[in-house]
Amino acid sequence: MTSLKTFECFNNLPKELRILIWEYHFESARIHVIHPSPESQMRNPKREVLLFCCTVLDSATNLVILDERPPSPLINHEAYDIALSCKRIWTPVIFGKDLADSVTSGRARVPLQFAISLGTNIYDEYNDTRQQARPVYVDWERDMLYLCVSNAEQAFWSMRSVPWRDSVRKLAVLVPQSEFDRAIPFGPTDPIREVLESMTELEELFVVLVPQADVLVPVTAPTSKALTSLSRDEFGFVPYVEYLKRAGLASNHILYARTAMSFREALVDLPKKIKLKRVVDVDCLTCSFGYYRRSLSPYL
């Protein structure tokens, strides 16, 4: 039996069912995943400014949205009318340029461990034609910004002075892996607090762990079936404590736990209440440098 790759009978469905499907599609939040562009592979993140790009995911399906523009009348009148009824407000953002400019302008407070070479030529004629120079459209009210990079610190510190910092409502930050047990990502609490204070509309902060094979107990390593049965939030993340229990981890991931604690301490006494969530990105797939993909949604 061949697998079904396309569905060609959508227009034959009852109108009420089509409307429900369109509403589900247009109401779904997007995940704007920030990661280094392929040309950053040869750059030293401690001494050079990385070039970032953005992959946009549909949070309901984990599928990559190739056309990041808002819905247009070109789809069809039925779908477009429903898209308008969702009342989403789209803002164009060039993530790669804004994050790099934040570092090179000197406005971002960069910790001492990042001796950034401010003279680095960020955008030359070649790089200006790359994908990261194209605007991505964000609905800040519903969408999530996900800093999913192995060197997440540089992107995080850039958040202090990007022009759209006051618009971010939901931010997810990957805790990068480190070969040094004492090297806590993002540094001390006070600089973290400065970044969070600058994001005046931030409501939810997700501290994300991507599982590594070396932290799993070999005998009780989870099967793919066990992972798909885990509960997920609206962005596909699994609660950290639940993952620990279901996956059979020998103990907490020390580096992740320390980082989560640093963020929790940074949130104390902030003028605005920000909800901290410890989560696991179990669907993240191993991709070539500069790309991000997820396995298909387990809900389907």
Side-chain angles (χ1 to χ4, degrees):
M1 186 176 78
T2 59
S3 60
L4 183 64
K5 295 184 178 179
T6 59
F7 182 71
E8 300 178 353
C9 302
F10 182 81
N11 290 332
N12 297 331
L13 295 174
K15 183 177 180 179
E16 294 80 5
L17 183 55
R18 294 200 309 269
I19 290 176
L20 288 175
I21 294 173
W22 283 123
E23 287 178 344
Y24 181 74
H25 171 69
F26 290 120
E27 288 282 358
S28 295
R30 295 182 176 186
I31 307 174
H32 301 272
V33 185
I34 305 300
H35 50 85
S37 59
E39 48 268 37
S40 286
Q41 185 169 11
M42 303 306 296
R43 296 196 174 200
N44 181 347
K46 293 185 178 182
R47 299 196 60 83
E48 298 177 278
V49 177
L50 297 177
L51 301 178
F52 294 99
C53 57
C54 179
T55 295
V56 183
L57 295 182
D58 182 339
S59 62
T61 62
N62 280 343
L63 293 174
V64 175
I65 299 175
L66 298 178
D67 186 352
E68 305 96 346
R69 295 172 297 179
S72 75
L74 296 178
I75 40 179
N76 64 56
H77 290 296
E78 180 180 86
Y80 186 61
D81 289 343
I82 295 172
L84 291 179
S85 70
C86 294
K87 301 185 183 302
R88 304 191 69 165
I89 300 175
W90 301 100
T91 302
V93 178
I94 304 179
F95 286 109
K97 182 179 185 300
D98 290 343
L99 290 170
D101 285 351
S102 177
V103 177
T104 57
S105 67
R107 294 191 302 270
R109 173 176 175 176
V110 181
L112 294 178
Q113 63 263 37
F114 296 100
I116 305 297
S117 300
L118 299 183
T120 303
N121 184 14
I122 302 301
Y123 291 99
D124 54 25
E125 182 178 358
Y126 172 76
N127 287 326
D128 279 343
T129 65
R130 303 297 291 177
Q131 183 179 3
Q132 67 266 23
R134 189 175 66 222
V136 173
Y137 289 82
V138 186
D139 177 4
W140 291 115
E141 183 70 28
R142 307 185 192 185
D143 295 351
M144 166 181 282
L145 182 64
Y146 182 11
L147 305 182
C148 185
V149 296
S150 57
N151 301 102
E153 294 95 335
Q154 192 176 119
F156 180 75
W157 297 117
S158 301
M159 294 294 295
R160 188 174 183 268
S161 58
V162 290
W164 32 266
R165 64 186 179 278
D166 292 335
S167 301
V168 181
R169 305 291 181 89
K170 301 173 180 62
L171 175 67
V173 181
L174 173 70
V175 176
Q177 300 298 315
S178 174
E179 59 185 9
F180 305 106
D181 292 338
R182 296 182 181 179
I184 302 178
F186 307 101
T189 298
D190 288 343
I192 294 176
R193 182 180 290 112
E194 287 190 25
V195 176
L196 298 178
E197 284 178 338
S198 68
M199 305 173 69
T200 57
E201 296 301 317
L202 187 63
E203 299 172 351
E204 295 180 277
L205 176 62
F206 297 73
V207 182
V208 184
L209 170 69
V210 172
Q212 301 292 316
D214 58 347
V215 301
L216 296 175
V217 179
V219 177
T220 59
T223 63
S224 58
K225 183 178 180 180
L227 289 180
T228 57
S229 66
L230 289 166
S231 62
R232 288 168 166 77
D233 61 19
E234 62 178 313
F235 298 104
F237 293 126
V238 173
Y240 176 64
V241 175
E242 180 179 347
Y243 182 82
L244 285 179
K245 295 178 180 178
R246 188 72 63 86
L249 291 180
S251 61
N252 289 3
H253 191 289
I254 300 301
L255 182 65
Y256 174 82
R258 289 177 178 173
T259 305
M261 185 177 297
S262 294
F263 275 95
R264 187 180 299 278
E265 292 175 353
L267 293 175
V268 175
D269 297 329
L270 283 183
K272 180 178 176 62
K273 181 68 175 179
I274 300 174
K275 182 182 296 184
L276 180 70
K277 296 184 178 180
R278 298 186 301 161
V279 297
V280 183
D281 187 357
V282 298
D283 298 320
C284 182
L285 299 176
T286 302
C287 302
S288 57
F289 188 91
Y291 295 91
Y292 176 86
R293 294 290 185 274
R294 273 183 168 183
S295 59
L296 292 181
S297 173
Y299 330 110
L300 301 180

